Amino acid sequence: MKITFLGGGNMANALIGGLVKTGFSATDIAVIELGAQGRAKLRLVYGVRCYETPTAAALDCDAVLLSVKPQQMREACTPLIGHLRQQLVISVAAGLRLGDLSRWLGDYGKIVRAMPNTPALIGSGITGLCAMPAVSMAERLGAERILQAVGSTLWIADESQMDAVTAVSGSGPAYVFLFIEALQQAAKELGLTPAQARQLSIETVLGAAKLAAQSDEAASVLRERVTSKGGTTEAALRRMDERGVKEGFIAGVLAANARGRELGELLGQDAR
């Protein structure tokens, strides 16, 4: 399977590195990158083929992965119009809808929209995927194979739910980082050193996530097992409940979902 990346950036670099690690040949990966310095670095680090523009040689591939900023996507797509020959197109640009991408590519139909999150940078991400009707099952499997180079994948049948994916897993690392930040601050206020606070907080979150991942039981059941009646955990959770922590958290995710829908509309309207 030959893959061409249009654009660079951290996510593209993570995907290229992950693909090479999982058995893809570097000679089957190409990158279209405007910057000479960026092209030189990609050749040096990964040994991939690099092009300045989308030439016929650059587009000699099975899949084209669009990795440019959402605001620059329409301009980046223009040179591809009329030059795609049934390749699968995968977009990792946040918020851009399949219909808009299709229009910018000259009403092209073989497009998959992907929403990876930042843990993909270390191979531990999760990516929500949604495809246009013209994308075959074999092409879906190809998209999975590419994105699974940086973590797990989840298909979404209704594209309107991609805003929810963005709100939960796309923005989700920030919520976790906020929790870690708060836990570290509390630890330091209790007299622990910054190093101790950091280690305790991060490893607690990491261990709890692993336990939840490996358990068949609901998170609520796991929480209850840690919460002894009249104990320290119960006291903490009671105070958090008084402060509306859970309700505020849920409200924040819902706000992210609403903003995702707004941005999708804005990005599409700006292009018309």
Side-chain angles (χ1 to χ4, degrees):
M1 185 179 190
K2 292 184 177 180
I3 307 165
T4 294
F5 286 77
L6 177 60
N10 291 336
M11 190 59 68
N13 287 346
L15 278 163
I16 293 168
L19 289 168
V20 172
K21 287 180 181 178
T22 54
F24 279 78
S25 171
T27 58
D28 287 337
I29 300 173
V31 182
I32 301 169
E33 169 61 59
L34 289 176
Q37 186 176 359
R39 293 196 301 273
K41 183 177 180 181
L42 287 165
R43 288 193 194 99
L44 178 64
V45 175
Y46 301 110
V48 298
R49 294 176 290 115
C50 294
Y51 302 86
E52 185 177 1
T53 58
T55 62
L59 294 176
D60 180 17
C61 60
D62 303 297
V64 178
L65 196 143
L66 307 177
S67 180
V68 298
K69 293 181 179 179
Q71 297 83 355
Q72 300 171 342
M73 185 63 80
R74 186 186 188 191
E75 181 181 358
C77 286
T78 300
L80 300 179
I81 296 176
H83 297 286
L84 295 173
R85 45 168 186 75
Q86 298 302 303
Q87 296 99 322
L88 175 65
V89 174
I90 303 171
S91 169
V92 296
L96 292 180
R97 299 178 179 179
L98 289 168
D100 295 320
L101 290 164
S102 175
R103 187 175 69 254
W104 300 342
L105 289 169
D107 295 322
Y108 195 72
K110 288 184 175 292
I111 306 175
V112 168
R113 176 180 169 186
M115 182 65 237
N117 60 5
T118 54
L121 301 178
I122 60 167
S124 297
I126 182 166
T127 301
L129 298 168
C130 186
M132 296 190 76
V135 177
S136 68
M137 181 56 67
E139 289 166 333
R140 284 171 172 257
L141 292 174
E144 280 186 8
R145 187 182 175 201
I146 293 170
L147 273 303
Q148 284 174 356
V150 292
S152 58
T153 56
L154 174 70
W155 282 101
I156 304 297
D158 183 350
E159 189 186 7
S160 67
Q161 294 300 306
M162 287 295 285
D163 293 320
V165 172
T166 301
V168 175
S169 62
S171 300
Y175 315 150
V176 177
F177 297 148
L178 176 62
F179 177 77
I180 292 173
E181 180 185 357
L183 202 55
Q184 286 184 225
Q185 182 176 333
K188 287 185 285 187
E189 289 184 10
L190 292 170
L192 295 171
T193 68
Q196 290 171 331
R198 174 182 169 81
Q199 182 178 359
L200 287 168
S201 300
I202 292 176
E203 293 193 19
T204 296
V205 171
L206 183 62
K210 287 182 177 179
L211 178 59
Q214 294 176 17
S215 175
D216 294 329
E217 295 179 309
S220 60
V221 174
L222 297 176
R223 171 181 54 77
E224 290 167 1
R225 286 186 175 173
V226 185
T227 311
S228 301
K229 186 173 180 60
T232 58
T233 306
E234 185 183 62
L237 294 177
R238 184 185 300 115
R239 181 55 58 88
M240 290 180 186
D241 185 55
E242 292 171 356
R243 297 292 180 91
V245 171
K246 185 176 180 179
E247 290 76 10
F249 187 95
I250 294 170
V253 177
L254 296 179
N257 178 71
R259 182 55 177 162
R261 291 183 180 178
E262 291 174 0
L263 289 174
E265 291 288 346
L266 288 171
L267 289 167
Q269 289 173 1
D270 289 344
R272 290 188 174 93

